[in-house]
Coordinates of all heavy atoms in Angstrom, one line a residue:
R1034 N -125.7 130.9 -90.2 CA -126.6 131.6 -91.1 C -125.9 132.0 -92.4 O -124.6 132.1 -92.5 CB -127.0 132.9 -90.4 CG -127.8 132.7 -89.1 CD -128.7 133.9 -88.8 NE -129.9 133.8 -89.7 CZ -131.1 134.4 -89.3 NH1 -131.2 135.0 -88.2 NH2 -132.1 134.2 -90.1
Y1035 N -126.7 132.3 -93.4 CA -126.1 132.7 -94.7 C -126.0 134.3 -94.6 O -124.9 134.8 -95.1 CB -127.1 132.4 -95.8 CG -126.6 132.7 -97.2 CD1 -125.8 131.7 -97.9 CD2 -126.8 133.9 -97.8 CE1 -125.4 132.0 -99.2 CE2 -126.3 134.2 -99.1 CZ -125.6 133.2 -99.8 OH -125.1 133.5 -101.0
W1036 N -127.0 134.9 -94.1 CA -126.9 136.4 -94.0 C -126.8 136.8 -92.6 O -127.2 136.2 -91.6 CB -128.3 137.0 -94.5 CG -128.6 136.7 -96.0 CD1 -129.5 135.8 -96.5 CD2 -127.9 137.3 -97.1 NE1 -129.5 135.8 -97.8 CE2 -128.5 136.7 -98.3 CE3 -126.9 138.2 -97.3 CZ2 -128.1 137.0 -99.6 CZ3 -126.5 138.5 -98.6 CH2 -127.1 138.0 -99.7
T1037 N -126.1 138.0 -92.4 CA -126.0 138.6 -91.1 C -126.1 140.1 -91.3 O -126.1 140.6 -92.5 CB -124.7 138.2 -90.4 OG1 -124.7 138.7 -89.0 CG2 -123.5 138.7 -91.1
R1038 N -126.1 140.9 -90.3 CA -126.1 142.3 -90.4 C -124.9 143.0 -89.8 O -124.5 142.6 -88.7 CB -127.4 142.9 -89.8 CG -128.7 142.6 -90.6 CD -129.8 143.4 -90.2 NE -131.0 143.1 -91.0 CZ -131.3 143.6 -92.2 NH1 -130.5 144.5 -92.7 NH2 -132.4 143.3 -92.9
D1039 N -124.4 144.0 -90.5 CA -123.3 144.7 -90.0 C -123.6 145.4 -88.7 O -124.7 146.0 -88.5 CB -122.8 145.8 -91.0 CG -121.6 146.6 -90.6 OD1 -121.8 147.5 -89.8 OD2 -120.5 146.2 -91.0
K1040 N -122.8 145.2 -87.7 CA -123.1 145.7 -86.3 C -123.2 147.2 -86.2 O -123.8 147.7 -85.3 CB -122.0 145.2 -85.3 CG -121.9 143.6 -85.2 CD -123.2 143.1 -84.6 CE -123.1 141.6 -84.4 NZ -123.1 140.8 -85.6
V1041 N -122.5 147.9 -87.2 CA -122.5 149.4 -87.1 C -123.6 149.9 -88.0 O -124.5 150.7 -87.6 CB -121.1 149.9 -87.6 CG1 -121.2 151.5 -87.6 CG2 -120.0 149.4 -86.6
T1042 N -123.7 149.5 -89.3 CA -124.6 150.1 -90.2 C -125.9 149.4 -90.3 O -126.9 149.9 -90.8 CB -124.0 150.1 -91.6 OG1 -123.8 148.7 -92.1 CG2 -122.6 150.7 -91.7
G1043 N -125.9 148.1 -89.8 CA -127.2 147.3 -90.0 C -127.4 146.7 -91.4 O -128.4 146.1 -91.6
A1044 N -126.5 147.0 -92.3 CA -126.6 146.5 -93.6 C -126.5 145.0 -93.7 O -125.7 144.4 -93.0 CB -125.5 147.1 -94.5
L1045 N -127.2 144.4 -94.6 CA -127.2 142.9 -94.8 C -125.9 142.6 -95.5 O -125.4 143.2 -96.4 CB -128.4 142.5 -95.7 CG -128.9 141.1 -95.6 CD1 -129.4 140.8 -94.2 CD2 -130.0 140.8 -96.6
E1046 N -125.2 141.5 -94.9 CA -124.0 141.0 -95.5 C -123.8 139.5 -95.3 O -124.5 138.9 -94.5 CB -122.8 141.8 -94.9 CG -122.6 141.6 -93.4 CD -121.5 142.4 -92.8 OE1 -121.1 143.4 -93.4 OE2 -121.1 142.1 -91.7
R1047 N -122.9 138.9 -96.0 CA -122.7 137.5 -95.9 C -122.0 137.2 -94.6 O -121.0 137.8 -94.2 CB -121.8 137.0 -97.1 CG -122.5 136.8 -98.4 CD -123.5 135.6 -98.4 NE -122.8 134.4 -98.1 CZ -122.2 133.6 -99.0 NH1 -122.1 134.0 -100.2 NH2 -121.6 132.5 -98.6
N1048 N -122.5 136.1 -94.0 CA -121.8 135.6 -92.8 C -120.5 134.9 -93.3 O -120.5 134.2 -94.3 CB -122.8 134.5 -92.2 CG -122.5 134.2 -90.8 OD1 -121.9 135.0 -90.0 ND2 -123.0 133.0 -90.3
P1049 N -119.4 135.0 -92.6 CA -118.2 134.4 -93.0 C -118.3 132.9 -93.0 O -118.8 132.3 -92.0 CB -117.1 134.9 -92.1 CG -117.9 135.4 -90.9 CD -119.2 135.8 -91.3
S1050 N -117.7 132.2 -94.0 CA -117.6 130.8 -94.0 C -116.3 130.4 -93.2 O -115.5 131.3 -92.9 CB -117.5 130.2 -95.4 OG -116.3 130.6 -96.0
C1051 N -116.1 129.1 -92.9 CA -114.9 128.8 -92.2 C -113.7 128.9 -93.0 O -112.6 129.0 -92.5 CB -115.0 127.4 -91.5 SG -115.5 126.1 -92.6
H1052 N -113.8 128.9 -94.4 CA -112.7 129.2 -95.2 C -112.4 130.7 -95.3 O -111.3 131.1 -95.7 CB -112.9 128.6 -96.7 CG -112.3 127.3 -96.9 ND1 -113.0 126.1 -97.2 CD2 -111.0 126.9 -96.9 CE1 -112.2 125.1 -97.3 NE2 -111.0 125.5 -97.2
G1053 N -113.5 131.5 -95.0 CA -113.3 132.9 -95.1 C -112.8 133.5 -93.8 O -112.3 134.7 -93.8
I1054 N -112.9 132.8 -92.7 CA -112.5 133.3 -91.4 C -111.0 133.7 -91.3 O -110.7 134.8 -90.8 CB -112.9 132.3 -90.3 CG1 -114.4 132.4 -90.0 CG2 -112.1 132.6 -89.0 CD1 -114.9 131.3 -89.1
P1055 N -110.1 132.9 -91.8 CA -108.7 133.2 -91.7 C -108.3 134.6 -92.3 O -107.4 135.3 -91.7 CB -107.9 132.1 -92.5 CG -108.9 130.9 -92.3 CD -110.2 131.5 -92.4
S1056 N -108.9 135.0 -93.4 CA -108.5 136.3 -94.0 C -109.0 137.4 -93.2 O -108.5 138.6 -93.4 CB -109.1 136.4 -95.4 OG -110.5 136.4 -95.4
L1057 N -109.9 137.2 -92.2 CA -110.4 138.3 -91.3 C -109.6 138.4 -90.0 O -109.8 139.3 -89.2 CB -111.9 138.0 -91.0 CG -112.8 138.0 -92.2 CD1 -114.2 137.6 -91.7 CD2 -112.9 139.3 -92.9
Y1058 N -108.7 137.4 -89.8 CA -107.9 137.4 -88.6 C -106.8 138.5 -88.6 O -106.1 138.7 -89.6 CB -107.2 136.0 -88.5 CG -106.4 135.7 -87.3 CD1 -106.9 136.0 -86.0 CD2 -105.2 135.0 -87.4 CE1 -106.2 135.7 -84.9 CE2 -104.5 134.7 -86.2 CZ -105.0 135.0 -85.0 OH -104.3 134.7 -83.9
S1059 N -106.7 139.2 -87.5 CA -105.8 140.4 -87.4 C -104.3 140.0 -87.6 O -103.6 140.9 -88.0 CB -106.0 141.0 -86.0 OG -105.7 140.2 -85.0
K1060 N -103.9 138.8 -87.3 CA -102.5 138.5 -87.4 C -102.1 137.9 -88.8 O -101.0 137.6 -89.0 CB -102.1 137.4 -86.3 CG -102.2 137.9 -84.9 CD -101.8 136.9 -83.9 CE -101.9 137.4 -82.5 NZ -101.5 136.4 -81.5
M1061 N -103.1 137.8 -89.6 CA -102.8 137.3 -91.0 C -102.2 138.3 -91.9 O -102.6 139.5 -91.9 CB -104.1 136.8 -91.6 CG -103.9 135.7 -92.7 SD -103.2 134.2 -92.1 CE -104.7 133.3 -91.7
D1062 N -101.2 137.9 -92.7 CA -100.6 138.8 -93.7 C -101.7 139.3 -94.6 O -102.4 138.5 -95.2 CB -99.5 138.0 -94.4 CG -98.7 138.8 -95.4 OD1 -99.2 139.9 -95.8 OD2 -97.6 138.4 -95.7
P1063 N -101.8 140.6 -94.9 CA -102.8 141.2 -95.8 C -102.7 140.5 -97.2 O -103.7 140.5 -97.9 CB -102.4 142.6 -95.9 CG -101.7 142.9 -94.6 CD -101.0 141.7 -94.2
K1064 N -101.5 140.1 -97.6 CA -101.3 139.4 -98.9 C -102.2 138.2 -99.0 O -102.6 137.8 -100.1 CB -99.9 139.1 -99.2 CG -99.0 140.4 -99.4 CD -97.6 140.0 -99.6 CE -96.7 141.2 -99.8 NZ -95.2 140.9 -99.9
F1065 N -102.4 137.5 -97.8 CA -103.2 136.3 -97.8 C -104.6 136.6 -98.3 O -105.2 135.9 -99.1 CB -103.2 135.6 -96.4 CG -104.1 134.5 -96.3 CD1 -103.7 133.2 -96.8 CD2 -105.4 134.6 -95.8 CE1 -104.6 132.1 -96.7 CE2 -106.3 133.5 -95.7 CZ -105.8 132.3 -96.2
K1066 N -105.2 137.6 -97.7 CA -106.6 138.0 -98.1 C -106.6 138.3 -99.6 O -107.6 138.0 -100.3 CB -107.1 139.2 -97.3 CG -108.5 139.5 -97.6 CD -109.0 140.7 -96.7 CE -110.5 140.9 -96.8 NZ -111.1 140.8 -98.2
A1067 N -105.6 139.1 -100.1 CA -105.6 139.5 -101.5 C -105.6 138.2 -102.4 O -106.3 138.2 -103.4 CB -104.4 140.4 -101.8
V1068 N -104.8 137.3 -102.1 CA -104.6 136.1 -102.9 C -105.9 135.2 -102.8 O -106.3 134.7 -103.8 CB -103.3 135.3 -102.6 CG1 -103.4 134.5 -101.3 CG2 -103.0 134.3 -103.7
T1069 N -106.5 135.1 -101.6 CA -107.7 134.2 -101.5 C -108.9 134.9 -102.1 O -109.8 134.3 -102.7 CB -108.0 133.9 -100.0 OG1 -108.0 135.1 -99.2 CG2 -106.9 132.9 -99.5
D1070 N -108.9 136.3 -102.1 CA -110.0 137.0 -102.9 C -109.9 136.7 -104.4 O -110.9 136.6 -105.1 CB -109.9 138.5 -102.6 CG -110.4 138.9 -101.2 OD1 -111.0 138.0 -100.6 OD2 -110.2 140.0 -100.8

């Protein structure tokens, strides 16, 4: 899907792409998310 809803707030948000998934991974260095953003 393109859109999904936040499980807590119900707010509409973007579904993660497969290039976006790594930055959400708990073991990933926070600097990785910053640089990919």
Side-chain angles (χ1 to χ4, degrees):
R1034 299 205 79 155
Y1035 188 90
W1036 298 106
T1037 186
R1038 289 195 178 275
D1039 184 273
K1040 297 297 184 288
V1041 177
T1042 66
L1045 206 60
E1046 61 185 18
R1047 281 289 304 274
N1048 201 23
S1050 69
C1051 53
H1052 264 117
I1054 287 172
S1056 64
L1057 301 173
Y1058 184 44
S1059 60
K1060 294 183 180 179
M1061 201 66 93
D1062 186 335
K1064 291 179 182 176
F1065 174 82
K1066 184 178 188 320
V1068 74
T1069 53
D1070 283 350

